[in-house]
């Protein structure tokens, strides 16, 4: 359905530069994986996903794909952490400015 297509295209986006084949991505979507679930997994859980793909779903993973899956997820985690930090920095700046404005108003009103 539309949902699966959406998940597939976001997985394609995630793994684009990491040599993970379309067939592998399709299988991951069938297994119910999304970018979100993968990014929230530990290394151990990712290893289990890869093992499941190979042992249970009989996906013939290339060596490069195993590394690709893990590298892509790691890179995405870093990117999200970076975004989170930027957001926090933004709030700090905004609050800092707001405080400065209040002080200016106090000075004016005195």
């Amino acid at each position: 359905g539309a949902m699966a297509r959406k998940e597939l295209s976001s997985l394609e986006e995630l793994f684009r530069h990491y040599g993970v084949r379309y067939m592998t991505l399709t299988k991951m979507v069938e297994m119910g994986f999304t970018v979100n679930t993968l990014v929230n997994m530990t290394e151990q859980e990712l290893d289990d996903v890869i093992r499941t793909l190979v042992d249970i779903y009989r996906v013939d993973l290339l060596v490069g794909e195993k590394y690709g899956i893990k590298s892509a997820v790691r890179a995405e985690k870093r990117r999200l952490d970076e975004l989170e930090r930027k957001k926090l920095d933004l709030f700090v700046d905004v609050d800092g400015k707001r405080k400065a404005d209040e002080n200016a108003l106090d000075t004016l009103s005195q």
Side-chain angles (χ1 to χ4, degrees):
M3 197 61 193
R5 262 199 304 283
K6 190 168 125 357
E7 290 309 344
L8 187 56
S9 67
S10 52
L11 281 177
E12 276 183 281
E13 191 60 40
L14 177 65
F15 293 117
R16 172 162 295 147
H17 305 292
Y18 292 90
V20 182
R21 291 169 302 172
Y22 188 77
M23 178 197 83
T24 306
L25 298 181
T26 314
K27 203 46 101 174
M28 288 171 93
V29 171
E30 274 173 37
M31 289 166 70
F33 291 109
T34 65
V35 171
N36 218 12
T37 48
L38 292 170
V39 167
N40 286 305
M41 285 183 172
T42 63
E43 289 280 321
Q44 183 57 60
E45 289 170 325
L46 266 183
D47 284 333
D48 291 341
V49 169
I50 291 167
R51 200 169 306 114
T52 303
L53 274 167
V54 175
D55 295 347
I56 295 167
Y57 287 82
R58 299 270 170 253
V59 177
D60 221 354
L61 279 188
L62 306 172
V63 173
E65 284 186 293
K66 295 180 187 178
Y67 288 115
I69 290 170
K70 294 175 81 167
S71 302
V73 170
R74 250 184 242 128
E76 182 64 6
K77 281 184 182 183
R78 272 197 305 273
R79 195 182 71 79
L80 292 171
D81 286 346
E82 197 53 44
L83 275 179
E84 230 9 78
R85 264 199 300 280
K86 281 206 180 78
K87 250 191 252 160
L88 289 175
D89 287 348
L90 225 98
F91 285 128
V92 170
D93 289 350
V94 168
D95 285 345
K97 281 198 193 75
R98 203 174 289 133
K99 285 201 180 55
D101 291 347
E102 279 166 18
N103 289 342
L105 284 173
D106 281 349
T107 314
L108 285 175
S109 65
Q110 276 164 13

